[in-house]
Amino acid sequence: MTNFMFIPGLVARLSPTDYVGFTFFVGCMAMMAASAFFFLSLNQFDKKWRTSVLVSGLITFIAAVHYFYMRDYWAAFQESPTFFRYIDWTLTVPLMCVEFFLILKVAGAKQSLMWKMIILSLVMLLTGYFGEAVDRPNAWLWGLISGIAYFVIVYEIWLGNASKLAAAAGGNVLAAHKILCWFVLVGWSIYPLGYMLGTDGWYNGIHGLGLNIDVVYNIADAINKIGFGLVVYNLALKSQTT
């Protein structure tokens, strides 16, 4: 691990056509910049919204740190850093679920909603990790459980209690909630698709098209995590002026 900290040596190992390494580097810098933006903007918000913006900064900061190590792992071994990626997701995805609770508190959201979303996200991620890295012969089963947890989250925010709370809040909260819902439905769908593409016995033939799932993951992570934070930031900003 100590060699990973020597940046000049690592840069020399990255080929100009290494798009995986390039997107790891860009993702790391983009999320670090987003973290600085969210943290430095905290003082302009009152206590009501400060926690939401803080969580947005924590999400991108945690991702930036993990991307630094994932980039180094890729540069050293030219292998997908599955272990680091799942640690990142296990910390950041539940925090993204917490954002739903934080913005819906104005409509009376209870902590039971937050814990429900957190538990579902952890089930989704832990079973995904088991299927992709631990028990690959039964990847279909772990993937099925992970997919069910994902769709329960989608149902909760689109049609369940979270959706009803957002409708009750109305205005800027409802608009922000809908955008976050689209992030989960469309943006997060890349991850179960990537699971199927990268697991033996599913859709391995698509690899012949030259698609590298790490590039897709890197771009999706940056869009989803920074985008989530910007939606929350915009909601907090509008709420300060109304």
Side-chain angles (χ1 to χ4, degrees):
M1 294 297 290
T2 55
N3 291 333
F4 292 168
M5 301 300 292
F6 185 55
I7 296 176
L10 290 171
V11 172
R13 297 182 187 182
L14 290 176
S15 166
T17 58
D18 185 352
Y19 302 114
V20 177
F22 175 77
T23 52
F24 271 127
F25 183 83
V26 172
C28 178
M29 298 308 296
M31 286 186 277
M32 186 60 73
S35 301
F37 174 76
F38 293 134
F39 289 148
L40 292 173
S41 67
L42 284 174
N43 288 336
Q44 67 180 293
F45 301 112
D46 57 31
K47 187 176 179 180
K48 177 181 177 182
W49 293 107
R50 198 172 295 165
T51 302
S52 298
V53 178
L54 174 62
V55 170
S56 297
L58 289 174
I59 290 168
T60 52
F61 179 75
I62 291 170
V65 172
H66 281 85
Y67 261 64
F68 178 84
Y69 285 103
M70 286 191 283
R71 182 202 65 189
D72 294 350
Y73 184 91
W74 171 264
F77 303 107
Q78 293 293 297
E79 294 178 359
S80 182
T82 303
F83 179 73
F84 287 113
R85 197 179 286 284
Y86 271 93
I87 293 176
D88 171 18
W89 290 342
T90 303
L91 295 171
T92 56
V93 173
L95 286 175
M96 294 168 83
C97 290
V98 169
E99 291 283 37
F100 280 98
F101 165 73
L102 292 174
I103 70 171
L104 294 175
K105 282 177 68 177
V106 296
K110 299 180 180 179
Q111 288 191 1
S112 58
L113 172 65
M114 179 185 71
W115 288 112
K116 179 180 181 181
M117 297 277 285
I118 289 174
I119 291 171
L120 285 169
S121 66
L122 290 174
V123 170
M124 175 180 71
L125 293 163
L126 294 176
T127 54
Y129 178 73
F130 264 83
E132 192 167 350
V134 179
D135 188 20
R136 292 179 70 90
N138 293 310
W140 69 270
L141 176 60
W142 295 112
L144 176 63
I145 298 171
S146 180
I148 290 173
Y150 166 69
F151 282 112
V152 173
I153 292 174
V154 170
Y155 175 83
E156 176 62 38
I157 61 177
W158 277 97
L159 301 170
N161 187 40
S163 175
K164 295 174 183 177
L165 288 168
N172 294 328
V173 172
L174 177 59
H177 176 83
K178 285 184 177 179
I179 297 173
L180 295 182
C181 285
W182 280 110
F183 269 109
V184 174
L185 180 64
V186 178
W188 289 18
S189 66
I190 291 172
Y191 304 114
L193 289 173
Y195 179 90
M196 290 187 287
L197 288 170
T199 307
D200 294 337
W202 290 62
Y203 302 105
N204 299 59
I206 299 179
H207 281 286
L209 300 177
L211 175 68
N212 191 305
I213 198 60
D214 277 300
V215 174
V216 178
Y217 278 158
N218 293 347
I219 296 172
D221 270 354
I223 293 174
N224 286 328
K225 291 167 183 172
I226 297 174
F228 237 72
L230 289 175
V231 172
V232 173
Y233 173 85
N234 187 56
L235 171 60
L237 198 62
K238 287 183 176 179
S239 300
Q240 290 281 103
T241 59
T242 56

